[in-house]
Every structure is written in structure tokens, then in C-alpha cells.
Amino acid sequence: MVNGVALPQRQSGMVMLTAVLLLLVLVTLVTLSTGKIKSFEHKILLNTQNYQMAFSTAEAGLSHGLSRLSEDPDWDGTAITDTLPAQGTFTVSGVRQTILRDSAVLRMITLTSTGSSPDGLSSVVQSQQAIQYSILANPPDVPLIVAGGLDVGGNFEVAANPNGGGEGVPLSIWTDLDVDMNNGSGTTCGLQEFSDGSCSSSPYSEKGFQDLDILDNDPNFPDDLMEYLFNVPETEWPVLRSEAEELYTNCSALGPNSVGLIWIDGDCSLNSNVIVGSADDPVILVVTDGDLSMNGGAEINGMVFSFRKPSTVADFELNMIGGARVNGVVASNHPVGHANGTYNSVYDADVLAGLQENDAFQRVAIVPGSWRDF
């Protein structure tokens, strides 16, 4: 009915049909719009998931590169590609450069990792810088290094570095205070004389006579011997301790297969004829707040560092009897010789080369703030 006039049934049906059609079109448009939105949301979710997988895969690539550096310090950075199950594929490579830090030479490598999702639709590039460094920051070229002087009350034989003081200038002992050669039976000599067993008969320095192979009262001697050797201040000695491959309270477990940095908390005693380390695989043995005792025929290949903590006031001694000796370097951050100790240190160029080159002494550290996500 329009204005009081009834519409014919045909016209009434057309109105209803039009309304239904309009409602159907509206429902269809809503359905299509909803489907489009859902499809768009699915694509966003898929892209987010792909990005997260690619991101995680790129991170895995960086971790793989750091692990490779730890296992193979000489890795040249050649690209490595690997596929992680249900995760994606990464390719990691590195670029090297050399930098100087204080007196130490460090190697820096910039790792770049590209990670992709399993379907290859998403990729992420990340980079991270790492520093390669040697535990031994300043490899010493003197067989006996002592902070606090040397009061020779016992016996010792030191075979000098033939070029420790310059080309053709032997150097056997280095210290900041005095070396007293008037007591005991201290002797220094050349490597050949030591090998021939004629160190005492053909010495450089001996009881009552000190030659130029002994550098004492040196004003250039480092104030902190640990920092000089390892680039770690002695007040921060736990940092160096944390770098050790092995931590012991004595030396009973040491032998020919020992290698790397070994930290001893307390006294270290080696039985007769025990050999520790080798020329190719030497050790750095840090004996902390304890005496070092080596019985007849015992040998250590590498460096012994007798370390007295800053808070410790007790005295400690080195005692190598019956031909026991260290092939390489003996260093101490406190005076030795006061208790009639016996110490024999023989300069060994091959051992010192091993201390510098052996992978056991190489470490990898991440450069803080160097991570990048491109």
C-alpha cells in the first residue's frame, strides 16, 4: 500500500526481491572483504614466521662461525653453508684484520651470516665482530723472570737466550731488584754449554761474579708481571683463572698429554721423571699461592708462573732437584731464592714458539656492541 493505495502483488514481490538481492550482495561483499582480510592476515603471519625462522637461522650461522674460530683459529673466513632441519639455511663468512691493543697484537674477524627460511621467501643478514687473542700477550724471551729480586741461597742453573739482549747478546735473568750472586751456587751459561753438561765449568755468571747476561735493577721491569705476560691485572686474576683448560689443587694429574693453560690452587709437586707437556704442545702452568717442587728428572715444557695473590703475604719457593728443569720460561711475581730453593730453567725457542702458535692458547671474544641486523 502506497499513500493508502494497495500495491499490486507483483509490485510488492519486486520490492521484496530487490531487498533480498541487496541483502545478498551486502552479505557477499562482507564475506569477500572478510576473506580478503583473513588472507592478508595469513600472509602477514606467514611472513612473520618466515622472518623469525630466517632470523634464527642467521643467528645460528654466527654461532657456527664463532665455534669454527674456537676450533680452528686459522680459519680464513671462507664461506660455510649449512641447512638446519625445518629451520632454514645459513651461509657464514668472515673478513680478517689486525689491530693493536696496548702492547698486544690482536686479530679481529667480522662474521657475516645470511639466514633464509625453509621456503626461501625470507632472508636475514646479520654480522658480528670477534677478537682472536693469545692468552700469552707478551711471550717472554728470558728464561728466568722474577719480580722482587733474586737472593741466591740455593742452587740454580739457567741456560740463557742467546739473543735475549739483542743479536748475539745472551740474557738469562731479568728482575727489577738485585740479584745477589755471593751466596749459594747459582750459575748461568749458554745453551751449548748446558747441553754438554759444562754449565758450571763454562759459565756466564757464577757465585761471586755477575756478567751482563743478568739484567737486574731494571727500571723498565713491569710493575705488574701478570698484566705484562697475560694482559690481565693481578687484581683481576680470576679472569685469567677462568680461561684455564684445567683447574687443580695439585699437580698429580699432569703428564705428557697436558697442554694449554693449567691453573693450580696450592702446592705443585711432580714426581721423578714426570714429563709435563712437549715442545709442540707446551703448557702454561700457573701455581697460585703455593710451592713448586720437582723431583729428579722431572721436566715441564712451557712456562711456569709462580703467582702470589695481591692479598697474600706468605713466601713461596721453587725447588727443582736432581736435574729437574723447566724448558722454556720460569716467571714469578714475588722474590725467590730466600729458602735455598733450587731452580733450573732452560731457554727453548721451540717451546716458546709453541706457546705463541699452539691453538690451545688461542681465545675468541665477541666485540661488545658489534652485532648488526641488516
Side-chain angles (χ1 to χ4, degrees), residues 24 113 234 355:
L24 181 61
S113 175
E234 64 177 23
L355 290 174

Side-chain angles (χ1 to χ4, degrees), residues 174-317:
W174 183 33
T175 180
D176 55 340
L177 297 181
D178 190 52
V179 174
D180 185 356
M181 298 292 291
N182 294 315
N183 301 303
S185 301
T187 303
T188 67
C189 62
L191 288 173
Q192 188 62 52
E193 288 75 15
F194 185 91
S195 299
D196 293 343
S198 58
C199 191
S200 58
S201 60
S202 301
Y204 290 143
S205 300
E206 59 182 334
K207 182 177 181 179
F209 176 74
Q210 179 176 320
D211 209 341
L212 297 178
D213 67 298
I214 297 178
L215 179 58
D216 59 355
N217 298 301
D218 183 9
N220 296 318
F221 192 88
D223 295 330
D224 186 332
L225 190 55
M226 175 175 278
E227 185 174 27
Y228 173 79
L229 294 173
F230 303 104
N231 219 18
V232 176
E234 64 177 23
T235 55
E236 300 177 17
W237 60 266
V239 173
L240 183 63
R241 187 178 188 273
S242 68
E243 296 275 11
E245 277 86 6
E246 303 289 347
L247 300 171
Y248 298 118
T249 56
N250 58 62
C251 290
S252 60
L254 303 186
N257 295 324
S258 299
V259 65
L261 176 62
I262 301 173
W263 187 282
I264 308 295
D265 289 306
D267 295 334
C268 173
S269 179
L270 294 177
N271 295 327
S272 299
N273 301 316
V274 171
I275 307 298
V276 179
S278 64
D280 292 331
D281 295 311
V283 300
I284 296 178
L285 184 64
V286 181
V287 180
T288 308
D289 285 354
D291 296 326
L292 171 65
S293 301
M294 300 172 62
N295 294 315
E299 292 186 18
I300 297 175
N301 294 289
M303 185 175 81
V304 172
F305 181 44
S306 180
F307 174 59
R308 184 171 67 184
K309 297 175 185 176
S311 58
T312 302
V313 296
D315 292 325
F316 303 102
E317 190 55 272

Side-chain angles (χ1 to χ4, degrees), residues 132-197:
Q132 284 183 291
Y133 63 96
S134 173
I135 290 176
L136 194 58
N138 284 298
D141 53 6
V142 187
L144 182 59
I145 304 172
V146 180
L150 197 62
D151 182 10
V152 184
N155 303 321
F156 73 78
E157 282 188 344
V158 177
N161 177 356
N163 301 302
E167 188 68 29
V169 180
L171 191 59
S172 57
I173 301 174
W174 183 33
T175 180
D176 55 340
L177 297 181
D178 190 52
V179 174
D180 185 356
M181 298 292 291
N182 294 315
N183 301 303
S185 301
T187 303
T188 67
C189 62
L191 288 173
Q192 188 62 52
E193 288 75 15
F194 185 91
S195 299
D196 293 343

Side-chain angles (χ1 to χ4, degrees), residues 30 34 51 71 92 112 125 170 191 275 299 301 316 318 343 365:
V30 170
T34 302
Y51 175 80
E71 296 172 2
V92 60
T112 301
V125 179
L191 288 173
I275 307 298
E299 292 186 18
N301 294 289
F316 303 102
L318 311 175
Y343 26 96

Side-chain angles (χ1 to χ4, degrees), residues 57 60-61 64 79-85 87-92 114-116:
T57 305
H64 185 87
I80 301 171
T81 300
D82 195 9
T83 299
L84 305 177
Q87 182 72 30
T89 301
F90 68 76
T91 299
V92 60
T114 302
S116 60

